[in-house]
Amino acid sequence: MNSLVTADYRRIAKIKVSTPMHISSGLDLEHSLLDQVLKGDAQCGYALWRSKQALVVPKSATHRENFEQACDFCETQGWPVVVRSTGGELTPQHEGFINLSIVLKCKKNQLSIKDSYQVICQAIIQWLGQYGIKGSCSSIDGAFCDGEFNVVIDGKKLVGTAQRWKKITDPAVRDDGSDMALLMHAVILCDGDLPSMWNISNAFYKTCNLKPFIVDNKHIALSQLLNDHGESFVLKMLDSLDVTLSKYIDDFSDEHFK
């Protein structure tokens, strides 16, 4: 079931879309959440959503040798390539993954890069703790789209994170001193055939004459940790995260906007 709820009295947007969508629709949903904050319709909010199978690459990848050839090959293997406007590295998307987007308004320099990443990482780490899973933040050599703020379990990547900032230009929205909107994104490896995803990702890199660096045993899925799998499992975890996020974002709003 899909749902779209905006808590207007708190100006907190809460969105959950359970059915996998084309990745471009997911990115549009993320941007619409960002627009709510930029326009002052919400102070903060989150979106939980799922994507159909795809490889998402940064715009810089389009300049690589054999890019079109790599796209054609991946398409024939059932992995369409979608170009995003932001940077980073290739990220696979799959029906077994859960995407979390959090957006909030803040003052310039109110949050350090580390503090801002902790907003989304701690939400996920708290949620995992409910299942007896102890997560932490670390880079993992050999992981897809590696970064300092992966959420890792026993040295294996479970969650990838990214963020971008956008200036608030509407004077009415800036009247409380907030001049920036922060968009944070996390992709949670909930279920799916992970080795096949790293194989096709490495094939894309190799065709583009880039080093195929992704290592299978540097990753882990929730299905492996909790010994469960399938559509019902993914939906159960999505709903569980939604409950946790709803309280988390309410508490965060009380503290951040006081």
Side-chain angles (χ1 to χ4, degrees):
M1 181 177 69
N2 299 340
S3 64
L4 173 53
V5 179
T6 302
D8 291 325
Y9 71 99
R10 296 287 301 278
R11 295 177 67 199
I12 301 174
K14 301 179 180 181
I15 304 168
K16 179 177 70 175
V17 183
S18 302
T19 304
M21 64 183 80
H22 190 279
I23 183 61
S24 61
S25 298
L27 295 175
D28 287 343
L29 176 66
E30 194 173 68
H31 293 157
S32 71
L33 181 64
L34 177 60
D35 282 342
Q36 287 193 53
V37 172
L38 289 171
K39 295 176 181 177
D41 296 332
Q43 293 176 314
C44 61
Y46 69 87
L48 286 167
W49 53 282
R50 299 167 64 198
S51 171
K52 295 180 180 179
Q53 185 168 289
L55 297 179
V56 186
V57 302
K59 190 174 182 180
S60 60
T62 63
H63 305 302
R64 297 299 309 185
E65 183 180 359
N66 298 331
F67 172 74
E68 294 297 336
Q69 180 182 338
C71 291
D72 291 343
F73 172 77
C74 293
E75 178 83 37
T76 64
Q77 303 302 307
W79 288 88
V81 176
V82 178
V83 179
R84 65 174 182 267
S85 60
T86 52
E89 296 175 348
L90 178 153
T91 298
Q93 283 284 351
H94 186 267
E95 291 86 347
F97 292 177
I98 296 173
N99 289 283
L100 167 61
S101 307
I102 297 179
V103 180
L104 59 95
K105 63 184 295 193
C106 58
K107 302 177 180 67
K108 187 176 181 180
N109 301 323
Q110 183 178 7
L111 294 171
S112 67
I113 294 297
K114 180 179 179 179
D115 289 341
S116 60
Y117 268 110
Q118 288 297 326
V119 172
I120 194 166
C121 290
Q122 285 304 312
I124 295 170
I125 288 171
Q126 287 181 25
W127 171 63
L128 293 172
Q130 299 172 24
Y131 295 91
I133 301 171
K134 186 176 181 179
S136 60
C137 293
S138 175
S139 61
I140 298 291
D141 187 36
F144 80 95
C145 201
D146 187 28
E148 183 180 352
F149 297 99
N150 300 315
V151 176
V152 304
I153 313 296
D154 295 328
K156 296 186 177 184
K157 180 170 181 172
L158 175 69
V159 181
T161 59
Q163 65 173 235
R164 68 186 181 99
W165 297 74
K166 194 163 185 178
K167 188 174 182 179
I168 298 172
T169 58
D170 188 336
V173 182
R174 294 164 59 103
D175 62 2
D176 63 351
S178 299
D179 54 1
M180 301 296 295
L182 168 62
L183 168 63
M184 298 161 279
H185 177 259
V187 56
I188 303 167
L189 311 184
C190 187
D191 195 18
D193 182 2
L194 297 186
S196 69
M197 301 179 200
W198 316 137
N199 287 338
I200 192 67
S201 299
N202 281 329
F204 177 87
Y205 281 128
K206 187 175 182 180
T207 305
C208 289
N209 291 327
L210 294 168
K211 181 181 178 181
F213 67 89
I214 303 177
V215 180
D216 175 38
N217 64 9
K218 298 293 186 177
H219 306 82
I220 195 164
L222 273 176
S223 56
Q224 297 169 271
L225 292 166
L226 297 177
N227 196 28
D228 200 351
H229 63 89
E231 178 71 6
S232 62
F233 171 68
V234 177
L235 291 175
K236 179 175 70 174
M237 300 311 292
L238 182 74
D239 290 343
S240 169
L241 183 54
D242 186 32
V243 172
T244 299
L245 257 295
S246 184
K247 183 178 186 306
Y248 180 88
I249 203 73
D250 287 348
D251 292 345
F252 176 84
S253 177
D254 285 343
E255 179 66 23
H256 184 72
F257 296 107
K258 67 181 180 179

